[in-house]
Amino acid sequence: MTTPVAALLALFDQRDQAGALQLAHELLDEGWTREQLITELLAPAQWEVGRRWEASEWNVAQEHAATAITDSVLSALALEPPADTRRPFEVVVTCAEDDWHVLPVRMFAELLTLDGWPITFIGASAPHEHLRRFLVQRRPFAVAIGCSVPIFLLGVQRVVDAAAAEGVPALVGGAGCGPDPSRAAALGAHWAPDASSASRLLDDWTRHGVPDRPRPMKHPVAAKLAGVRPELVEQAFDLLAERHPFMGQLNERQLQRTAEDLDYVLQFLEAAVLTGDRRIIDDFVPWLQTLLTSRGLPADVASATLRALAECIPADLVPAAEWMSAAARMRTAGEAPAPARPPARRRET
């Protein structure tokens, strides 16, 4: 028997937006709740869309077309008669600054709305100073910040700091914020793994008050690493070109993507240093290997990339140099752990 998720994926493949909307309404008629449609239909289907892109089963255009259908179904659900709002506490929901992966954060906002919270949804990547002025005007009870990819954690911190400056507590979540509170705490924010947990936490705040803000970490090495990133990319690219024959087999587009990948690895390393969470780079490494080989690049390209970067990072940038060297050794030995959830990325080799 075809599951609802499989049926929706088939409709994605046919670019059948009307069929997807009909499927959603049929499930509602069968007794599904709108919460279930988001958590048990749209979210799992969208996860499979990402997997197909990562495995090169779908290209970027196919992935974008499917995402647009998901967005249209979510919009239709939002037009249904709203639940009676049970709480007089407004929550502002936004993506991290620079993060344009709006769909999961919008799902989160809709789930909080369905649970009775008055939500003002800002959407993708609002500049933190603009958001700060908005918070001054609205004076919400809290701001919830979604982060899909760890490289946007600095954008999370800017929003968290802007909210704290106006006395608005910040709650963060999403795949980029990790599976536990450690990254959130390092940024001076509270954490929730999903919308239901966030709703319970917010309820607790209304009854017992908001706990003190976690003390943010100091991270000068992350800023220094970001400052020298262009030079490190150039140096590592030159090392790859000098040492590895596969570079001579790449076309101009692939060479450009190689430089982008070097930059991308360093962004993940910066996020790891920013939050003191080495898992960020360790989880990213095997995902990068899978992505590159699925796009026809040699199997050893990820190992060579990491080794080149490890040689270029100044030893005094601790722990960045240590963590990159360890990642290169793990990748070479085939010891890198498989990530629980691969990072999202919209790009094509």
Side-chain angles (χ1 to χ4, degrees):
M1 179 180 295
T2 300
T3 66
V5 172
L8 182 59
L9 288 165
L11 293 166
F12 285 168
D13 208 25
Q14 299 162 16
R15 313 293 177 261
D16 188 351
Q17 177 174 299
L21 292 168
Q22 180 179 349
L23 172 63
H25 284 294
E26 288 174 353
L27 291 172
L28 286 173
D29 291 341
E30 292 174 11
W32 281 48
T33 65
R34 283 183 281 172
E35 291 90 341
Q36 284 179 295
L37 284 176
I38 295 172
T39 61
E40 298 178 29
L41 178 70
L42 298 182
Q46 198 62 32
W47 177 251
E48 174 61 16
V49 169
R51 188 206 65 78
R52 292 182 182 186
W53 169 80
E54 290 159 6
S56 289
E57 296 172 15
W58 279 7
N59 63 30
V60 172
Q62 291 171 301
E63 178 264 325
H64 281 191
T67 299
I69 293 175
T70 298
D71 190 66
S72 70
V73 175
L74 194 61
S75 296
L77 293 176
L79 292 175
E80 297 285 336
D84 292 334
T85 298
R86 299 185 297 276
R87 302 172 178 88
F89 304 99
E90 179 186 8
V91 178
V92 170
V93 178
T94 183
C95 293
E97 188 173 9
D98 298 326
D99 190 350
W100 294 88
H101 296 86
V102 70
L103 188 57
V105 185
R106 186 178 175 203
M107 289 183 183
F108 172 86
E110 292 299 334
L111 288 169
L112 284 186
T113 299
L114 292 170
D115 203 28
W117 291 95
I119 296 297
T120 298
F121 181 54
I122 302 298
S125 187
H128 67 280
E129 283 298 331
H130 292 237
L131 183 61
R132 178 177 176 174
R133 293 196 291 270
F134 184 82
L135 296 177
V136 170
Q137 295 170 355
R138 299 294 303 180
R139 307 309 306 176
F141 177 65
V143 59
I145 308 156
C147 178
S148 296
V149 188
I151 61 173
F152 302 121
L153 287 171
L154 180 57
V156 172
Q157 185 173 59
R158 288 194 291 262
V159 177
V160 168
D161 290 345
E166 301 305 329
V168 180
L171 177 65
V172 306
C177 291
D180 58 51
S182 60
R183 295 178 199 173
L187 302 177
H190 305 280
W191 175 80
D194 51 43
S196 60
S197 300
S199 185
R200 290 193 297 271
L201 185 60
L202 291 167
D203 265 332
D204 187 66
W205 289 1
T206 65
R207 292 192 299 268
H208 305 295
V210 181
D212 291 339
R213 179 191 182 195
R215 184 182 297 275
M217 285 181 56
K218 296 185 182 297
H219 44 78
V221 171
K224 291 178 182 177
L225 185 61
V228 298
R229 192 197 316 150
E231 291 83 354
L232 295 178
V233 169
E234 184 176 356
Q235 293 170 18
F237 186 93
D238 290 342
L239 278 180
L240 287 174
E242 176 184 335
R243 297 177 179 176
H244 298 285
F246 71 79
M247 291 286 285
Q249 303 169 15
L250 303 183
N251 59 36
E252 188 63 30
R253 180 176 177 79
Q254 288 173 320
L255 289 171
Q256 179 183 350
R257 295 304 190 192
T258 299
E260 291 178 0
D261 284 328
L262 290 165
D263 186 89
Y264 202 55
V265 174
L266 289 174
Q267 289 182 62
F268 272 83
L269 182 62
E270 289 164 23
V273 174
L274 176 71
T275 56
D277 191 349
R278 177 177 157 175
R279 293 173 298 177
I280 290 175
I281 190 66
D282 287 346
D283 286 350
F284 170 70
V285 166
W287 179 85
L288 178 66
Q289 173 80 41
T290 300
L291 183 74
L292 296 179
T293 54
S294 74
R295 279 144 177 77
L297 294 175
D300 65 345
V301 66
S303 299
T305 296
L306 296 171
R307 288 195 300 270
L309 285 170
E311 289 188 42
C312 296
I313 297 174
D316 63 336
L317 292 184
V318 179
E322 297 173 359
W323 289 357
M324 182 56 68
S325 295
R329 290 194 299 270
M330 292 168 65
R331 183 67 264 159
T332 301
E335 298 172 356
R341 293 175 66 93
R345 186 187 184 191
R346 299 186 186 279
R347 88 104 156 119
E348 185 177 27
T349 298

